[in-house]
């Protein structure tokens, strides 16, 4: 298939392009490089030995999008492009609503005009807000207890896509709800490259391991969990990337949500421990206050994706830590 990937230079997009190209798909990507580096795409080309057609512009740019759709016959769109920092979204809500929602509307407009009917969306576990049950299922309640504008954009976009599918029965949307992506391509040449101090646990721990940061701050150890620290469903980014290929191969009517997750919860201390083993060094940490907006546990059932997409998360936390460490050690300053 001829696939348009938005946000392809980013962390998940770059790993997904590898899997798409390996599966024989032809990839064009649009990225404004607001949170990424074109070097990621050059490295992906080296890994796969196949070219990526790259266009640098913001997906909200309707004129450029129109030119692109006029000159290509896309079979499907995978929409990764979006801003994703929770804290920043609280400080700059309009920027988040504008960027994330308008980029989706522009894409849907262009797809509508050019008869492109298949759309895969990077949604998030955040749509479940405060989990009403564990493990979460696709039928679990969504939209209640979302604590920040970033999460609201994901929830709103899911609604927009559902409405679009109701209005046009031939339109197919897959809402891929990612849990906590970690790890890197085993080559060690591409990986997560946060432009600022990382907000997420694993990239933070990796920067502590490489000596760029002093110690991990563990946000609370008084939760009702195995060791009192927060529990999450960490999924290897290569498994996540393969989930997109599986979703592309699947045909279904309307808007369908899938949890891309492992079904297993891992605590903060368990993850620090696994990373420390992978890096063969101690990772210093201190216990601090809880982070506002955090929940104790969040993990989900992958049963629907297993059953309907034939997709399984196969890689372990240990592999994710080893792969992430290979990337961090070989590229202490990311792509710079
Ligand atoms: P990322 O920031 O590494 O990648 C996003 C890419 O989109 C970047 O290359 C950025 O430059 C680009 N971009 C942003 N806005 C754009 C715009 N308007 N036009 C063109 N390009 C634009 O993030 P990621 O971790 O790869 O996440 C990809 C998607 O998955 C995002 O939508 C994110 O919200 C979602 N997601 C990520 C996580 C996670 O933990 N990483 C979890 C759940 C969902
Ligand atoms: C966070 C976002 C979520 C977003 C996801 C991916 C919040 C409240 N949630 O999820 O909306 O989709 O990132 O970008 O920000 N932790 C520490 N010390 C740290 C960092 C994290 O102890 O320095 C703990 C957290 O309290 C949590 C776990 O590690 O228990 C994972 O945190 P993180 O990696 O930030 O992911 P989420 O909070 O699950």
């Amino acid at each position: 298939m001829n696939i348009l990937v938005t946000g392809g230079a980013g962390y998940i997009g770059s790993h997904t392009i590898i899997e798409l190209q390996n599966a024989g798909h032809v990839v064009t990507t649009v990225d404004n490089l607001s949170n990424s580096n074109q070097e990621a795409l050059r490295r992906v080309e080296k890994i796969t030995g196949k070219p990526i057609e790259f266009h640098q512009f913001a997906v909200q740019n309707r004129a450029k999008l129109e030119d692109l759709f006029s000159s290509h016959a896309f079979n499907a769109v995978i929409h990764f492009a979006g801003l994703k920092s929770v804290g920043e979204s609280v400080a700059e809500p309009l920027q988040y609503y504008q960027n994330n929602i308008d980029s989706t509307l522009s894409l849907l407009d262009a797809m509508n005009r050019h008869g492109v009917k298949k759309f895969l969306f990077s949604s998030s576990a955040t749509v479940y807000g405060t989990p009403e049950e564990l493990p979460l299922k696709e039928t679990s309640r969504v939209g209640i207890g979302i604590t920040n504008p970033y999460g609201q954009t994901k929830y709103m976009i899911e609604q927009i896509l559902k409405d679009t599918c109701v209005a046009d029965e031939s339109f197919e949307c897959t809402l891929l709800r990612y849990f906590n992506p970690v790890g890197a391509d085993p080559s060690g040449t591409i990986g997560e490259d946060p432009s600022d101090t990382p907000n997420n646990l694993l990239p933070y721990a990796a920067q502590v391991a490489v000596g760029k940061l002093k110690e991990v701050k563990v946000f609370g150890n008084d939760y009702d969990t195995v060791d009192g620290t927060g529990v999450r469903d960490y999924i290897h980014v290569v498994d996540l990337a393969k989930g997109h290929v599986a979703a592309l191969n699947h045909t279904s009517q309307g808007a369908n949500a899938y949890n891309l997750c492992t079904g297993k919860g891992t605590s903060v201390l368990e993850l620090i421990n696994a990373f420390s083993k992978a890096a063969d060094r101690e990772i210093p940490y201190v216990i601090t206050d809880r982070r506002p907006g955090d929940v104790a546990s969040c993990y989900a059932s992958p049963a629907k994706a297993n059953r309907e997409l034939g997709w399984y998360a196969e890689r372990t936390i240990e592999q994710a830590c080893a792969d992430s460490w290979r990337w961090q050690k070989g590229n202490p300053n990311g792509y710079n």
Side-chain angles (χ1 to χ4, degrees), residues 84-87 123-127 147-148 150-151 154 178-182 192 198-205 215-220 223 229-234 266-268 271-272 286 288-298:
K84 63 163 185 176
S85 164
V86 169
S123 190
S124 165
T126 194
V127 300
T147 52
N148 56 81
Y150 162 74
K154 293 293 174 193
Y178 309 157
F179 280 69
N180 292 60
V182 288
E192 189 167 7
N199 296 310
N200 297 115
L201 178 60
L202 196 117
Y204 199 102
E215 60 199 4
V216 179
K217 292 176 184 64
V218 176
F219 298 144
Y223 286 109
T229 65
V231 164
R232 296 291 184 272
D233 192 330
Y234 296 95
T266 302
S267 75
V268 174
L271 193 75
I272 292 177
V286 287
T288 67
D289 287 346
R290 291 181 177 192
R291 179 172 64 180
D294 269 354
V295 295
S297 296
C298 182

Side-chain angles (χ1 to χ4, degrees), residues 15 37 39-40 43 46-47 183-194 198 203 206-207 209-212 275 322-336:
H15 286 83
N37 191 315
E39 177 62 15
R43 295 191 187 183
K46 267 198 193 142
I47 293 169
D185 183 73
S187 66
T189 60
I190 66 163
E192 189 167 7
D193 181 19
Q207 294 203 5
V210 86
K212 287 180 75 177
F275 201 90
D323 291 333
S324 180
W325 177 237
R326 197 173 303 112
W327 153 252
Q328 184 70 62
K329 193 172 48 167
N331 305 269
N333 296 315
Y335 293 111
N336 293 308

Side-chain angles (χ1 to χ4, degrees), residues 6-14 30-37 57-60 79-84 99-100 103 121-125 150 154 176-181 192 200:
T6 73
Y11 173 46
I12 304 171
S14 55
V30 172
D31 198 306
N32 62 0
L33 303 181
S34 59
N35 194 38
S36 53
N37 191 315
F57 63 85
V59 181
Q60 307 87 288
H79 186 30
F80 294 104
L83 298 175
K84 63 163 185 176
N99 189 84
N100 293 1
S103 62
F121 175 59
S122 295
S123 190
S124 165
Y150 162 74
K154 293 293 174 193
L176 297 172
R177 294 178 179 157
Y178 309 157
F179 280 69
N180 292 60
E192 189 167 7
N200 297 115

Side-chain angles (χ1 to χ4, degrees), residues 113-188:
R113 273 198 306 278
H114 293 272
V116 184
K117 299 287 186 179
K118 201 172 172 79
F119 191 84
L120 269 57
F121 175 59
S122 295
S123 190
S124 165
T126 194
V127 300
Y128 292 111
T130 314
E132 66 162 346
E133 59 176 345
L134 291 172
L136 287 157
K137 298 186 202 66
E138 289 80 355
T139 48
S140 301
R141 181 188 68 191
V142 292
I144 306 293
I146 298 174
T147 52
N148 56 81
Y150 162 74
Q152 294 291 359
T153 67
K154 293 293 174 193
Y155 176 63
M156 288 176 187
I157 292 167
E158 285 204 359
Q159 302 311 308
I160 291 169
L161 296 175
K162 285 177 187 167
D163 291 343
T164 304
C165 288
V166 170
D168 177 354
E169 281 183 4
S170 64
F171 199 77
E172 222 184 289
C173 282
T174 310
L175 316 174
L176 297 172
R177 294 178 179 157
Y178 309 157
F179 280 69
N180 292 60
V182 288
D185 183 73
S187 66

Side-chain angles (χ1 to χ4, degrees), residues 8 13-15 17-18 21 39-50 52 189-190:
S14 55
H15 286 83
I17 293 176
I18 294 178
Q21 292 193 319
E39 177 62 15
L41 294 172
R42 291 189 201 103
R43 295 191 187 183
V44 170
E45 287 177 329
K46 267 198 193 142
I47 293 169
T48 63
K50 293 179 182 161
I52 302 163
T189 60
I190 66 163

Side-chain angles (χ1 to χ4, degrees), residues 212-283:
K212 287 180 75 177
L213 295 168
K214 185 165 152 251
E215 60 199 4
V216 179
K217 292 176 184 64
V218 176
F219 298 144
N221 67 348
D222 56 353
Y223 286 109
D224 184 14
T225 61
V226 57
D227 55 19
T229 65
V231 164
R232 296 291 184 272
D233 192 330
Y234 296 95
I235 174 168
H236 196 299
V237 67
V238 173
D239 280 329
L240 189 66
K242 286 178 182 288
H244 294 75
V245 179
L248 264 186
N249 292 338
H250 181 73
T251 306
S252 60
Q253 261 210 324
N256 277 291
Y258 293 97
N259 292 332
L260 293 184
C261 60
T262 68
K264 285 188 218 80
T266 302
S267 75
V268 174
L269 293 182
E270 286 167 343
L271 193 75
I272 292 177
N273 207 10
F275 201 90
S276 156
K277 282 199 184 121
D280 194 23
R281 63 191 63 193
E282 201 165 315
I283 300 191

